[in-house]
């Protein structure tokens, strides 16, 4: 700060105070949205858990069970549903999930279905093959869109247009921790239960177990996609809240440091003036 006038220091202090007000406001907005997103996560889990339990019950209690959704075939083309944010200023939230997808898809023939403006812009700029940009605005994607998307993906999978479907999202662990991950949707990974000799379930499915299972899969995928979307939204707001809290603290530290330097410069100027007056007298 040598050679900087008190006027320039005051200008920088006012600039940092303005920045602090913005980051503090964004932190409060993110905290409010985070509470709403956490409630959505808690409300979406029971539906997914019941469907998942029903699927496992059908598979475990039915002998010689087979379904095209369970059949693994050579993977020639994959679809990745990538969920990111619409805006930045969220720390490493967007970059972490995009880096994970880039590492996972390297050298593969993939189609990307982006959810979120940051994901759409990222893959469009890199010339990636996009399955659709209909859901590029993550804020406008609701539960109905997730089920519509799930049915569309299931239809393409059954028609052989692609051989596997995965979703990349950020799992909400806590306010301070968010873990990006990739979950396989189709083919459904059959759970190894080791229940040989177990008594079959007393539940009867009409018209038959296979028909019920095939009808449940699109609903199950829709529930998983909506759950992943809720997890990602909560992770984004938590990451933004943490980033803005850190930015606010940094602004306060800079204001404190600039105030100290302002006082030192002001004291040096006063001392210089007194010295000049004494020398002149």
């Amino acid at each position: 700060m040598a050679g900087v006038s008190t006027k320039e220091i005051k200008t920088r202090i006012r600039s940092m105070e303005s920045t602090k007000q913005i980051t503090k406001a964004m932190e409060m907005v993110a905290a409010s949205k985070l509470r709403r997103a956490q409630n959505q996560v808690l409300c979406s889990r029971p539906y997914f858990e019941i469907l998942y339990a029903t699927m496992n019950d059908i598979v475990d209690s039915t002998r010689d069970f087979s379904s095209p959704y369970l059949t693994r075939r050579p993977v020639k083309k994959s679809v990745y549903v990538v969920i990111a944010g619409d805006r930045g200023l969220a720390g490493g939230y967007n970059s972490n999930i995009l880096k994970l997808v880039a590492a996972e898809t390297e050298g593969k023939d993939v189609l990307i279905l982006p959810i979120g403006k940051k994901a759409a812009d990222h893959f469009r700029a890199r010339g990636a093959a996009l399955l659709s940009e209909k859901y590029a605005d993550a804020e406008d994607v609701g539960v109905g869109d997730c089920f519509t998307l799930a049915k569309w993906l299931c239809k393409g999978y059954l028609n052989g247009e692609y051989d596997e479907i995965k979703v990349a999202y950020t799992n909400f662990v806590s306010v301070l921790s968010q873990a990006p991950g990739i979950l396989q949707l189709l083919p459904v990974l059959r759970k190894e239960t080791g229940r040989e000799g177990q008594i079959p379930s007393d539940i009867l499915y009409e018209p038959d177990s296979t028909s019920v299972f095939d009808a449940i899969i699109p609903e199950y995928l829709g529930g998983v996609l909506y759950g992943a979307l809720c997890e990602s939204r909560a992770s984004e707001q938590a990451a933004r809240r943490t980033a803005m809290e850190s930015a606010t603290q940094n602004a306060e530290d800079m204001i404190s440091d600039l105030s100290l330097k302002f006082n030192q410069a002001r004291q040096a100027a006063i001392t210089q003036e007194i010295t000049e007056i004494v020398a002149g007298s």
Side-chain angles (χ1 to χ4, degrees):
M1 280 292 177
V4 179
S5 66
T6 55
K7 183 178 180 181
E8 292 176 342
I9 297 176
K10 287 185 69 174
T11 302
R12 295 187 184 184
I13 291 175
R14 285 195 295 267
S15 176
M16 291 309 304
E17 287 176 344
S18 177
T19 301
K20 175 187 170 183
Q21 290 179 351
I22 294 172
T23 56
K24 187 65 177 178
M26 292 183 67
E27 177 189 346
M28 296 175 65
V29 170
S32 176
K33 290 184 177 181
L34 174 60
R35 287 190 292 270
R36 185 166 63 251
Q38 284 178 298
N39 290 334
Q40 287 181 340
V41 170
L42 294 176
C43 293
S44 67
R45 284 175 179 169
Y47 181 84
F48 163 76
E49 291 171 353
I50 292 174
L51 282 179
Y52 187 70
T54 303
M55 285 170 46
N56 286 327
D57 179 75
I58 293 175
V59 174
D60 295 338
S61 62
T62 307
R63 296 181 180 180
D64 300 327
F65 182 81
S66 63
S67 170
Y69 293 116
L70 290 172
T71 305
R72 301 184 66 86
R73 57 200 190 206
V75 179
K76 298 178 181 178
K77 180 170 289 189
S78 305
V79 170
Y80 280 76
V81 181
V82 183
I83 304 175
D86 291 328
R87 290 175 291 274
L89 298 177
Y93 167 75
N94 290 310
S95 61
N96 289 340
I97 189 65
L98 295 176
K99 287 178 181 177
L100 179 63
V101 173
E104 176 83 8
T105 59
E106 187 176 2
K108 296 182 179 179
D109 184 9
V110 299
L111 292 172
I112 302 294
L113 199 157
I115 298 179
K117 294 178 181 177
K118 290 295 181 180
D121 294 342
H122 174 84
F123 292 107
R124 192 187 306 115
R126 284 156 180 77
L130 301 182
L131 184 62
S132 173
E133 293 188 54
K134 182 179 179 181
Y135 305 97
D137 195 342
E139 191 173 0
D140 294 336
V141 178
V143 60
D145 297 313
C146 291
F147 285 96
T148 301
L149 175 59
K151 293 176 182 178
W152 179 42
L153 291 174
C154 288
K155 182 178 179 181
Y157 179 81
L158 292 177
N159 292 337
E161 297 175 14
Y162 28 82
D163 304 301
E164 68 174 0
I165 303 172
K166 295 185 178 183
V167 57
Y169 70 105
T170 305
N171 185 44
F172 179 77
V173 181
S174 68
V175 176
L176 299 177
S177 177
Q178 302 86 39
I182 295 178
L183 177 67
Q184 180 167 317
L185 299 179
L186 291 178
V188 177
L189 296 177
R190 188 165 185 168
K191 188 175 70 173
E192 298 296 334
T193 57
R195 296 180 180 177
E196 292 81 359
Q198 182 180 0
I199 298 175
S201 172
D202 293 332
I203 301 176
L204 297 178
Y205 297 99
E206 294 290 343
D208 55 73
S209 299
T210 302
S211 300
V212 173
F213 183 84
D214 291 344
I216 283 178
I217 288 295
E219 301 296 322
Y220 166 73
L221 258 62
V224 173
L225 287 173
Y226 182 66
L229 182 63
C230 292
E231 294 274 355
S232 295
R233 284 173 174 168
S235 299
E236 180 184 5
Q237 299 305 329
R240 181 169 291 113
R241 177 183 177 277
T242 302
M244 292 301 100
E245 183 180 9
S246 178
T248 302
Q249 184 61 48
N250 290 339
E252 290 176 351
D253 293 341
M254 291 187 68
I255 291 172
S256 177
D257 184 59
L258 288 169
S259 298
L260 178 62
K261 286 181 170 55
F262 172 79
N263 292 331
Q264 290 174 344
R266 183 169 175 271
Q267 183 178 11
I270 293 173
T271 304
Q272 180 66 27
E273 290 179 2
I274 293 175
T275 302
E276 290 175 356
I277 293 173
V278 172
S281 62

